[in-house]
Amino acid sequence: MISVGIFTGYYPYTLAETIERAKKDGMSCVQLDLEFKDVDLSRGQITKEKAHQVRDAFRDANLPIIAISAYTNLVHKDPAVRQANINWVKEILAHARDFGTPYVVSETGTYHDDDWLYDPKNSTEEAYQEFKAVAEDLAKFAYEHDAVFLIENYVTQTSHTDWCAEP
């Protein structure tokens, strides 16, 4: 049987209601969004106990968490915002196994003021090198915490296909 999953961010409810709706919609696994109306998993608020509460609720429903969403702009042009975003991903990576999965996925980001819009700097070698340094740092941090850092590219963000070179 093919597993069918969903990003839980599509269910902006309590933990129990999110699980109930995902099951009702025929899902067999989830990519976990860390926003529930009754469990505070915002920046600086993740604990092992809360992670286990969420993990156990999904496990009890036979709805495994296959990855955790940590979507944030990792190349934000404001260095303070960028560092806060990187720290947020690290917080999630440090607790990934507590949620029952090693996988944490984020995006690359953009230099535009709007996280979904293209900026010409996104296609530069400088942008590539900046993102590469961030990705290496996060990958090392993930390794140290028995986690895996994954990237989902988006067409308007850095690190997209026009950088791919033929061997």
Side-chain angles (χ1 to χ4, degrees):
M1 177 181 197
I2 295 175
S3 292
V4 178
I6 194 164
F7 170 59
T8 61
Y10 290 116
Y11 303 112
Y13 309 109
T14 64
L15 176 60
E17 190 173 1
T18 296
I19 292 168
E20 178 183 328
R21 287 178 182 241
K23 292 293 284 185
K24 180 180 165 232
D25 289 343
M27 302 302 146
S28 56
C29 58
V30 297
Q31 178 177 327
L32 186 68
D33 181 62
L34 296 179
E35 292 189 26
F36 298 101
K37 291 188 181 278
D38 59 342
V39 182
D40 183 6
L41 297 168
S42 60
R43 293 180 185 209
Q45 299 304 311
I46 299 175
T47 64
K48 185 175 189 172
E49 294 75 24
K50 288 179 189 177
H52 285 182
Q53 174 190 357
V54 171
R55 176 200 67 194
D56 293 347
F58 278 92
R59 280 184 179 172
D60 290 348
N62 194 29
L63 200 59
I65 298 167
I66 56 150
I68 304 167
S69 298
Y71 295 105
T72 190
N73 190 343
L74 295 174
V75 295
H76 196 285
K77 63 183 174 183
D78 180 331
V81 173
R82 178 188 301 182
Q83 191 58 55
N85 291 347
I86 291 167
N87 291 345
W88 170 232
V89 175
K90 286 182 176 181
E91 181 180 355
I92 297 168
L93 285 165
H95 288 281
R97 290 290 184 165
D98 295 330
F99 283 104
T101 182
Y103 303 109
V104 175
V105 61
S106 189
E107 59 195 292
T108 59
T110 180
Y111 292 92
H112 196 282
D113 291 329
D114 182 320
D115 284 352
W116 296 105
L117 296 179
Y118 178 75
D119 187 282
K121 185 177 177 182
N122 291 357
S123 295
T124 66
E125 180 66 22
E126 176 188 2
Y128 173 74
Q129 293 303 326
E130 286 180 357
F131 175 72
K132 181 179 169 187
V134 170
E136 286 175 349
D137 176 51
L138 289 170
K140 288 176 185 174
F141 187 89
Y143 181 79
E144 292 166 0
H145 291 84
D146 197 26
V148 179
F149 176 61
L150 304 171
I151 291 295
E152 179 183 332
N153 285 358
Y154 186 69
V155 68
T156 62
Q157 296 186 347
T158 62
S159 190
H160 49 80
T161 57
D162 62 325
W163 287 346
C164 295
E166 292 188 29

